Amino acid sequence: MSTEKPVEDEFLGQAGQYRRELLAHCYRMLGSAHDAEDLVQETYLRAWRAYDKFEGQSSLRTWLHRIATNTCLTALENRAKRPLPTGLGQPGSQAEDPLVQQPEVPWLEPIPDSAVGLDSADPATIVTDRETIRLAFVAALQHLPPRQRAVLILRDVLQWKAAEVAEAVDISVAAVNSTLQRARAQLEAVQPRQDTVAAPLEADQRELLERYVKAFEDKDINAIVALFTADAVWEMPPFIGWYQGAANIGRLIDTACPAEGPGDMRLLPINANGQPAFGLYMREGDVYKPFNLPVLTLGRNGITHVSSFFDLSLFEKFGLPAQIPA
């Protein structure tokens, strides 16, 4: 009698509980929700094939993360980093500048909170650290070479010991320590300092989001400008420009957004990367169709950053409708 089925059931029963945190791990490494899902599948396939050799010297969770890390490192060998426009190294744009797209760039993607275990109302059951999945952190990670990225995530996010990391990525403990030092210095240099608001949001932040929806659905430029801090940043991949300053952002939306007035836009609330976000729809005749997906960073005194993604395939990934009746 074959024992394959009981072994398969045992593996799936034990390993399945780690899927969302493995997805978060692969997402931090790759910067793409789509690629991360593929690599989690590859991780489980590799783990299943080697499960009979798993001797329990480490926890199953650690063993799976080790496989996932090496799966990601292999995948990254021939892939470019995934930036946001603010990470391209060019100066900020003015609203009057021509809009330039670079669709060939593999842009950073947002990821739904539900995919990485941030959607629970009970903090004790949340499987991903919200701060380590935020867009700014994941974007900063993309500046690191893959091995530095892996070492920093394993040490500083997953809190592994240096010896465990050394075994996982096949380098010495001394090399882990020096790699981590370089990675931290690089991350410090590129990661923006933001006075972000932690979840759950307080009443004034929830009211700010309500004002955001109303201001955009009314296309009220003065109300939109009032939402942002003085040095707020707006970016919208695949357009390579990024825009700093509340007034500059207001002029951009006034002149570049195709909505002509109240009722042309609809916003549906979602959560991405542990941050508030929306599916923004533009009216076309008697329906609203997907237009972009803004992810907001809230500060103490207003909105500090918006990354607005024009990849319309994200709407399905976030469970948003393909269109809304007008």
Side-chain angles (χ1 to χ4, degrees):
M1 180 178 176
S2 172
T3 60
E4 182 175 337
K5 185 63 176 176
V7 171
E8 180 180 355
D9 290 344
E10 177 187 345
F11 170 74
L12 293 175
Q14 294 187 39
Q17 63 184 309
Y18 302 114
R19 178 174 291 274
R20 292 195 295 179
E21 60 180 285
L22 288 170
L23 183 62
H25 180 59
C26 292
Y27 172 71
R28 293 185 192 99
M29 287 289 294
L30 275 294
S32 162
H34 294 86
D35 290 351
E37 288 173 351
D38 291 342
L39 292 179
V40 169
Q41 289 298 109
E42 178 66 20
T43 295
Y44 274 103
L45 180 60
R46 292 187 184 189
W48 159 239
R49 288 172 174 168
Y51 188 57
D52 60 335
K53 302 180 181 67
F54 175 59
E55 299 174 349
Q57 295 179 352
S58 63
S59 70
L60 180 62
R61 177 177 180 267
T62 298
W63 185 64
L64 288 169
H65 275 85
R66 184 183 303 140
I67 296 172
T69 299
N70 284 283
T71 302
C72 290
L73 288 173
T74 300
L76 285 166
E77 287 177 358
N78 298 308
R79 299 193 194 191
K81 71 176 183 179
R82 285 185 171 270
L84 287 171
T86 45
L88 294 178
Q90 61 186 25
S93 302
Q94 293 301 307
E96 298 75 21
D97 297 341
L99 292 174
V100 178
Q101 292 191 58
Q102 285 193 1
E104 70 279 6
V105 172
W107 297 103
L108 183 72
E109 299 172 356
I111 194 166
D113 279 12
S114 57
V116 292
L118 283 174
D119 56 336
S120 174
D122 180 6
T125 65
I126 292 177
V127 301
T128 301
D129 183 346
R130 191 178 300 272
E131 293 305 313
T132 68
I133 210 73
R134 285 184 176 274
L135 272 178
F137 181 73
V138 178
L141 287 174
Q142 306 310 303
H143 289 270
L144 304 180
R147 192 174 296 275
Q148 281 190 21
R149 203 180 305 173
V151 168
L152 185 135
I153 292 170
L154 293 174
R155 286 286 281 127
D156 287 358
V157 176
L158 298 183
Q159 301 292 309
W160 283 20
K161 297 176 181 177
E164 293 175 314
V165 178
E167 183 180 357
V169 299
D170 196 25
I171 57 177
S172 68
V173 171
V176 167
N177 292 331
S178 62
T179 299
L180 179 63
Q181 187 175 15
R182 292 195 302 273
R184 285 172 174 168
Q186 176 74 353
L187 201 68
E188 181 71 19
V190 300
Q191 186 174 8
R193 296 185 178 276
Q194 296 180 341
D195 179 25
T196 57
V197 173
L201 300 179
E202 297 179 357
D204 55 343
Q205 281 91 47
R206 292 194 297 272
E207 188 266 341
L208 178 64
L209 294 177
E210 291 171 1
R211 287 168 49 207
Y212 185 93
V213 171
K214 179 171 174 51
F216 273 82
E217 292 188 343
D218 290 345
K219 203 183 179 185
D220 182 339
I221 301 303
N222 289 333
I224 289 172
V225 170
L227 298 167
F228 291 92
T229 60
D231 58 351
V233 169
W234 180 283
E235 58 188 338
M236 45 186 190
F239 299 95
I240 62 174
W242 59 276
Y243 307 83
Q244 186 163 29
N248 192 25
I249 293 169
R251 293 198 308 274
L252 174 73
I253 296 167
D254 189 21
T255 58
C257 176
E260 296 179 355
D264 284 350
M265 288 185 277
R266 284 282 308 277
L267 281 76
L268 298 184
I270 54 174
N271 291 286
N273 295 75
Q275 300 170 234
F278 297 93
L280 190 153
Y281 292 75
M282 196 69 62
R283 185 164 186 164
E284 294 185 21
D286 58 355
V287 297
Y288 290 93
K289 293 187 177 181
F291 185 67
N292 63 33
L293 198 151
V295 180
L296 282 58
T297 302
L298 305 186
R300 299 294 172 187
N301 299 307
I303 297 169
T304 62
H305 200 123
V306 174
S307 297
S308 196
F309 296 88
F310 278 79
D311 178 359
L312 300 186
S313 69
L314 292 169
F315 276 68
E316 182 178 2
K317 182 167 289 296
F318 278 82
L320 289 163
Q323 63 182 31
I324 304 171

